[in-house]
């Protein structure tokens, strides 16, 4: 049923090489694993490539308001795939273009923390509008964004390094089955 639904909404499945599928499984397992580590159990994960994506993870992450720590968790989840690839392939080879949308999403959250939500003590509480983001203000925002993103990337790397065997088990299950439900992931992650 999932396959039929995804075929209709997103297009036919793309056929990828075993190496690319393995990398995609680690990438998506990174999102799912970090989501689990910050207390949000993923509902679904797939590495079946269709349309413009190679896979995706859906998590129970629907909040009306977001605290500072929850926003940092959201950044950590977004960067979980990059972290997984760094842990699995090294600091240099773990940098791949597949994380571009994740990085964009994480950067947008970091920017809202700084310029919209007034949550960065160093920057201050005042909102900053797009037309004000130039010169020294833009540089300051970019520096703070990078500080936030770097800290959350390292946090995600630590989560995966500290429980690499459990992460590998999740990635292997995703590679073997191509998709995992919440129940599948709970059996892997919670039963440990």
């Amino acid at each position: 049923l999932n396959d039929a639904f995804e075929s209709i909404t997103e297009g036919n499945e793309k056929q990828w090489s075993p190496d690319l599928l393995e990398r995609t499984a680690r990438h998506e397992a990174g999102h799912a694993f970090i989501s689990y580590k910050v207390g949000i159990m993923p509902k679904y994960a797939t590495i079946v490539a269709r349309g413009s994506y190679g896979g995706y993870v859906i998590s129970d992450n629907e909040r009306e308001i977001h605290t500072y720590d929850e926003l940092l968790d959201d950044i950590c989840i977004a960067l979980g795939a990059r972290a997984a690839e760094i842990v699995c392939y090294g600091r240099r080879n773990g940098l791949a273009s597949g994380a571009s949308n994740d990085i964009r999403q994480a950067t947008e959250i970091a920017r809202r923390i700084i310029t919209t939500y007034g949550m960065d003590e160093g920057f201050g509480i005042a909102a900053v509008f797009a037309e004000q983001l130039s010169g020294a203000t833009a540089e300051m925002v970019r520096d703070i964004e990078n500080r936030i993103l770097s800290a959350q990337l390292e946090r995600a790397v630590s989560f995966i390094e500290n429980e690499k065997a459990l992460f590998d088990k999740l990635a292997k299950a995703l590679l073997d089955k191509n998709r995992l439900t919440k129940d599948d992931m709970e059996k892997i992650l919670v039963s440990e």
Side-chain angles (χ1 to χ4, degrees), residues 40 43 58-66 70 74:
I40 303 167
K43 293 193 314 191
I58 300 172
S59 293
D60 280 325
N61 190 10
E62 298 179 18
R63 300 180 294 254
E64 296 300 320
I65 60 171
H66 304 270
E70 289 168 342
D74 291 346

Side-chain angles (χ1 to χ4, degrees), residues 115-172:
T115 63
T116 304
Y117 305 143
M119 293 179 172
D120 187 82
E121 289 180 23
F123 192 78
I125 196 167
V128 176
F129 304 98
E131 62 273 8
Q132 297 171 306
L133 280 175
S134 63
T137 303
E139 285 181 40
M140 185 178 200
V141 169
R142 176 59 85 203
D143 289 345
I144 297 168
E145 285 171 346
N146 277 313
R147 176 181 45 83
I148 291 169
L149 296 174
S150 294
Q152 293 311 306
L153 177 61
E154 291 311 311
R155 181 178 171 218
V157 165
S158 292
F159 278 137
I160 295 169
E161 285 178 339
N162 291 338
E163 295 186 72
K164 180 75 165 50
L166 185 58
F167 167 80
D168 287 342
K169 190 174 178 182
L170 179 64
K172 183 175 182 339

